[in-house]
Each structure stands twice: as C-alpha cells, then as structure tokens.
Amino acid sequence: MMWRLGATATAVLPVAAAAVAKTGATVTTSTPTIWFFLGYPFEAAGMISALFGCVSARFWIGAGEMARREHRWILDAPVSSMTLALAAGLVISLHPEPLSALLYGGGVGILGEGVFKLAAQRIDKLRAVLGLGPDDKPAE
C-alpha cells in the first residue's frame, strides 16, 4: 500500500510542479490602451466614454428646443466645442476609470446646456435693446 502512495506522489509531483510553473505564462492579463495627445498620456476607454457622455448631454437633452435651432451655429457649435475640450482635458489630467469619465463628460455636457441657455438669454436681451425681432437681422 505504501509503495502505491510513493509511486503516485513521484508521478504527480513533476506534473503539479510543471502546472504551477506554467500558470504564470498561461494567465493572460489585459492592459489598457494608452493614447497620447500633445505628449500627454491617457486611457482610450476613459476618453471615449467622456466624449460620448458629453455629446449625449449636449445634443440629446436639448435637441428639440427652438432656441437650439435658432442659434445652432452662433452658440451651439462653440459651446459644444468648449465642453468637448473641457471633458477631454479632465480625462487627460485626472486619468479616471471609464465610468467616472462618462460621468465627468455627462456633467460637463449638462454644464454646457446651462452656458447655452445663458448665452441665448443674453442674445434675446440684446435683440430687445436693439429693437430687433426674432427673425430680424442687424443692418451691416
């Protein structure tokens, strides 16, 4: 009986040792994809999710508003560019995880909605001061 145990141990021990030695080589780990912008490294997943959150907040929240249609190129394009740049800057400087980056991008996009509404109010007040209607253009 004892010789069977000894024979099994001598047969199993090299196989177990080889399996333990190979586990480090067979276990795969993933590393995040790192992109660079002007020499600054950031994770690609965080940047993609932040920009998606920002674009979603900017265009899908206020897509049906009449003020958005009126001031599409005067206000909406610069404010959207500003919020996208701010979201990208946050990702580059903070290196967040993708979920945090999505929340940062969505938050910045919502702040952009506030900036857009303030600017649209200022333009309406300026038109009222100048005596222009909503469809009137200033004389050049």
Side-chain angles (χ1 to χ4, degrees):
M1 183 79 170
M2 197 63 156
W3 63 273
R4 285 185 182 172
L5 183 63
T8 306
T10 55
V12 170
L13 193 59
V15 173
V20 168
K22 281 191 171 184
T23 9
T26 59
V27 173
T28 59
T29 58
S30 63
T31 57
T33 301
I34 304 295
W35 289 346
F36 292 89
F37 181 72
L38 297 176
Y40 292 100
F42 57 91
E43 290 185 18
M47 182 63 76
I48 291 170
S49 62
L51 295 180
F52 175 76
C54 187
V55 167
S56 298
R58 289 291 302 130
F59 292 111
W60 293 340
I61 288 175
E65 294 182 16
M66 185 55 96
R68 177 69 64 91
R69 291 184 198 130
E70 272 182 55
H71 306 296
R72 168 111 21 225
W73 299 109
I74 296 171
L75 289 179
D76 196 26
V79 169
S80 295
S81 300
M82 178 184 65
T83 57
L84 285 170
L86 184 59
L90 282 172
V91 169
I92 290 172
S93 63
L94 297 177
H95 300 287
E97 296 290 321
L99 179 60
S100 299
L102 181 67
L103 295 175
Y104 286 146
V108 169
I110 290 170
L111 287 175
E113 285 293 319
V115 169
F116 177 81
K117 290 192 187 299
L118 287 173
Q121 289 174 356
R122 295 291 179 183
I123 286 178
D124 292 340
K125 285 181 183 179
L126 180 63
R127 283 183 176 171
V129 167
L130 295 175
L132 299 173
D135 294 331
D136 296 337
K137 303 271 186 210
E140 293 180 4

